[in-house]
């Protein structure tokens, strides 16, 4: 079924991009829509930085730095070095030189009055991306992390400047009540055959998407099955602060806690072969190899997950 | 006299910057004020490009690329290459990577509501420039070149995109009637002991400064002698389109035509040793070596010109 399936994916940054890469091998790209977290976005030096959109875009365009999982392969930082060396501006968020081309064009497009949806579409197409890349919304709903040791921090301050060391008390999606689902996002969810939630950080990367007014209802209303893929393998996160945050929020660090977090939204859960079988009422589960260590594993996970879901109808 | 002399200099880009460099060797930098042409300025990719301000600033900061006379030494163009290679944006005006740091900070400063005078001062001081660097005004008065073969062109289109090949019919300073002399420019002209007009292109680089309302009157009113340095040596320009434009405007390509262009403003004219003696009524003249081939020649011209002017009082 895979090639002809219309798949919509709720997705964050690096972890999600691995799944995106796998899906590109098993689904026709024009049938793939990625609905990307923009809670991490911020303005800096007059540029709009969209870390997750860019990570997914560069991955789909084959430009991504495969060592870091983000940024452009082979990029350098002459502009940032000059800002620091010549002007004494400490750029804790370091943008690469090639990457800056994206940011200059994006900021220009936004200032000319285009929406983030329009600008993203234009950038992705120019990079030769055939899949649809959509910001979760056009409004700015910055993720704020309230921490025990440093008070409330903007997402990038928490994540990059303080390397996610501060202890998380709660997470807010500022101004999310003012956001609206864009027509392309609504349409992608309505027409999808399958809706996936990528193995991105549920609290930092997926929760901002779910906080867009109407998003939860659209997922419930959708004809397509909604299936999340576990970001927790053997009691730990593959990368990043998922497990740390779960512990700080007083949750058990388990795939079941993630499945419960998505309760009422998901119909299915792709668990990992290393985990215990998932038993959460109302949620179908399967165990697959979700550790996407190479291209073959990424494609296999995408194929196996879609095949499993296709089997539900039979 | 030189070190204690307060010198204000009307100045354009590369040719003017050589004189600026020479003056730095013979006048205490805090007594030097450069009033810089901004008629070449334009916005591109959300960045404000100020070619002459940057050329003078980088020269004074010791950062300038000495081969081209503009841009930062050792700079590369990864951002522009990415714009072209990844996004198909043809950047006919190529900014270097290190140079982009300046443009990001300038655009940000302007967007935050600071004037170009304030932003320029901040940038120059951060680069360790002790001389005062002033845009001729804060308003935008873009130079437009009406050409026989390509119609009206923006300055950079004429100069960079078409490599000053089109035949000039006339030159306009758009919106110059709306510009105002800033307080620092007025004050620099009022308090100067000497006012120099650098050997920049009179029509493209100095005329925009003279077009700022009140500028000609301020020069006439100034106590200080006003002295221009010839951009024409032996019937030709050292570099750039000065001679070509003079011919196209129907003028003789001579230092006398330049001196007459500055008629009513200048009291003195530094002619070149290779030229015939200048005989223009009401203008004192001297012949010096104005061909600034190396640092010693730049300093010598600055010293000799100031010494000559100092002698007038005697």
């Amino acid at each position: 079924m895979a090639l002809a399936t219309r798949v919509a994916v709720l997705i964050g940054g690096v972890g999600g991009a691995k799944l995106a890469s796998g899906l590109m091998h098993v689904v026709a790209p024009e049938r793939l829509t990625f609905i990307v977290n923009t809670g991490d976005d911020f303005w800096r030096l007059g540029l709009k930085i969209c870390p997750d959109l860019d990570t997914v875009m560069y991955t789909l365009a084959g430009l991504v730095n495969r060592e870091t999982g983000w940024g452009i392969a082979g990029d350098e930082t002459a502009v940032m070095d000059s800002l620091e060396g010549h002007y004494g501006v400490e750029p804790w968020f370091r943008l690469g030189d090639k990457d800056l081309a994206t940011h200059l064009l994006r900021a220009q497009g936004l200032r000319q009055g285009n929406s983030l949806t329009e600008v993203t579409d234009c950038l992705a197409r120019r990079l030769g991306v055939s899949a649809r890349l959509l910001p979760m919304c056009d409004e700015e709903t910055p993720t704020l992390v309230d921490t025990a040791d440093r008070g409330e921090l903007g997402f990038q301050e928490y994540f990059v400047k303080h390397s996610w060391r501060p202890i998380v008390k709660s997470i807010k999606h500022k101004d999310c009540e003012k956001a609206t689902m864009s027509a392309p996002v609504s349409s992608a969810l309505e027409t999808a055959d399958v809706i996936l939630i990528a193995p991105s950080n549920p609290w930092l990367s997926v929760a901002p998407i779910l906080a867009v007014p109407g998003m939860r209802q659209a997922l419930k209303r959708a004809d397509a099955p909604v299936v999340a893929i576990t970001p927790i393998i053997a009691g730990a996160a593959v990368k990043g602060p998922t497990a740390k945050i779960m512990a700080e929020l007083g949750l058990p660090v388990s795939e079941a806690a993630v499945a419960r977090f998505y309760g009422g939204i998901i119909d299915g859960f792709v668990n990992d072969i290393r985990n215990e079988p998932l038993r959460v009422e109302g949620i179908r589960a399967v165990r697959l190899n979700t550790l996407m260590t190479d291209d073959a594993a990424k494609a296999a996970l995408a194929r196996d997950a879609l095949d499993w879901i296709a089997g539900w109808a039979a």
Side-chain angles (χ1 to χ4, degrees), chain A residues 36-55 57-58 80 93-96 98-120 123 134-143 156 174-175 179:
Chain A
V36 184
N37 169 41
T38 58
D40 303 5
D41 296 6
F42 63 109
W43 286 89
R44 181 99 179 139
L45 292 166
L47 305 172
K48 174 74 170 274
I49 324 285
C50 304
D52 286 358
L53 275 173
D54 286 349
T55 293
M57 182 169 77
Y58 293 153
M80 294 290 136
F93 194 90
R94 293 185 73 77
L95 297 170
K98 295 177 184 177
D99 193 19
L100 260 165
T102 304
H103 293 94
L104 287 169
L105 291 177
R106 178 188 290 129
Q108 188 185 33
L110 292 172
R111 284 204 186 89
Q112 286 169 345
N114 302 290
S115 68
L116 184 59
T117 298
E118 291 163 335
V119 172
T120 302
L123 293 173
L134 296 172
M136 65 191 205
C137 62
D138 285 322
E139 296 82 0
E140 300 189 343
T141 64
T143 299
Q156 295 299 335
K174 187 165 181 268
D175 294 331

Side-chain angles (χ1 to χ4, degrees), chain A residues 38-184:
Chain A
T38 58
D40 303 5
D41 296 6
F42 63 109
W43 286 89
R44 181 99 179 139
L45 292 166
L47 305 172
K48 174 74 170 274
I49 324 285
C50 304
D52 286 358
L53 275 173
D54 286 349
T55 293
V56 177
M57 182 169 77
Y58 293 153
T59 299
L60 296 178
L63 292 174
V64 80
N65 179 337
R66 293 171 70 97
E67 279 158 50
T68 56
W70 53 267
I72 296 182
D75 211 354
E76 301 192 6
T77 57
V79 179
M80 294 290 136
D81 293 346
S82 177
L83 274 170
E84 191 165 7
H86 291 140
Y87 290 107
V89 175
E90 189 205 342
W92 53 264
F93 194 90
R94 293 185 73 77
L95 297 170
D97 300 325
K98 295 177 184 177
D99 193 19
L100 260 165
T102 304
H103 293 94
L104 287 169
L105 291 177
R106 178 188 290 129
Q108 188 185 33
L110 292 172
R111 284 204 186 89
Q112 286 169 345
N114 302 290
S115 68
L116 184 59
T117 298
E118 291 163 335
V119 172
T120 302
D121 196 60
C122 175
L123 293 173
R125 287 186 195 285
R126 287 214 209 169
L127 291 184
V129 174
S130 318
R132 192 82 197 269
L133 195 62
L134 296 172
M136 65 191 205
C137 62
D138 285 322
E139 296 82 0
E140 300 189 343
T141 64
T143 299
L144 298 177
V145 183
D146 192 21
T147 67
D149 27 358
R150 294 195 171 263
E152 191 169 84
L153 298 173
F155 178 79
Q156 295 299 335
E157 271 182 287
Y158 163 75
F159 198 79
V160 178
K161 194 171 185 179
H162 296 296
S163 310
W164 45 277
R165 280 186 304 263
I167 294 162
V168 174
K169 286 165 60 187
S170 67
I171 296 164
K172 262 201 305 207
H173 315 293
K174 187 165 181 268
D175 294 331
C176 67
E177 69 284 359
K178 297 177 198 160
T180 49
M181 270 178 64
S182 67

Side-chain angles (χ1 to χ4, degrees), chain A residues 229-244:
Chain A
I229 295 161
T230 186
I232 295 291
I233 300 179
V238 177
K239 192 165 179 271
T242 304
K244 177 172 179 285

Side-chain angles (χ1 to χ4, degrees), chain A residues 9-10 19 195-199 206 210 226-229 262 265-266:
Chain A
V9 190
L10 274 51
L19 179 71
I195 299 170
L196 298 178
I197 299 179
V206 181
L210 300 177
V226 180
V227 176
I229 295 161
Y262 291 138
I265 293 170
I266 59 171

